[in-house]
Amino acid sequence: MSAPQIDPRGPRFGAWITTVVLAVVLATGWWPLLAAQTVVFAIGGFLGLQHAPYGLLYRRFVAPRLGPTDEREDAAPPQFAQTVGFVFALVGTVGYLAGLPVLGTVATALALVAAFLNAAFGFCLGCEMYLIIRRFAPATGK
């Protein structure tokens, strides 16, 4: 059975939205928005990209206007990247809630850098982490 394939424009679209959300959080310190982004990351990371809210927006409203593409990529690396984003956003949310705004700010800023790199340059840090881990981790069950 082959791995699910996705349109790579979808994760980049989601990365743009994430970039804006995280920039607003950094500018305002409004942790409820970061908590909402944490949920978005959790859905994409744990339930799959087919359920990711920004991916749903992309498939419903953006992709039909762009037209089809022959370009496809494995869904596993971007899904792993969503899980990494979840961890950073969760740490940031907990930091803000615990009265540790520096922790909240740093975790949010790191997530913002990763989202911006993906949005602007198509460089997905979480995806690269996934590929490195796969290279060094033993293969499981075939």
Side-chain angles (χ1 to χ4, degrees):
M1 188 164 112
S2 65
Q5 299 286 301
I6 60 168
D7 178 346
R9 300 174 298 180
R12 284 189 78 180
F13 171 80
W16 276 117
I17 297 173
T18 301
T19 296
V20 171
V21 167
L22 295 175
V24 169
V25 171
L26 280 179
T28 65
W30 193 42
W31 69 264
L33 184 58
L34 183 58
Q37 181 62 51
T38 303
V39 172
V40 169
F41 280 138
I43 293 168
F46 299 114
L47 298 180
L49 296 177
Q50 69 273 23
H51 302 292
Y54 301 155
L56 293 171
L57 288 173
Y58 173 78
R59 288 190 303 278
R60 175 75 170 104
F61 298 107
V62 178
R65 287 167 176 71
L66 296 177
T69 181
D70 291 334
E71 189 177 354
R72 291 291 195 218
E73 69 180 17
D74 182 8
Q79 183 170 344
F80 179 81
Q82 291 288 298
T83 305
V84 173
F86 165 77
V87 170
F88 279 93
L90 182 62
V91 169
T93 301
V94 169
Y96 284 118
L97 282 172
L100 302 168
V102 171
L103 178 61
T105 300
V106 169
T108 303
L110 291 171
L112 173 60
V113 167
F116 179 74
L117 285 173
N118 191 5
F121 304 108
F123 183 78
C124 175
L125 284 172
C127 299
E128 294 301 319
M129 287 174 52
Y130 175 86
L131 296 173
I132 289 168
I133 291 167
R134 289 290 306 228
R135 186 174 304 137
F136 293 106
T140 58
K142 291 195 175 199

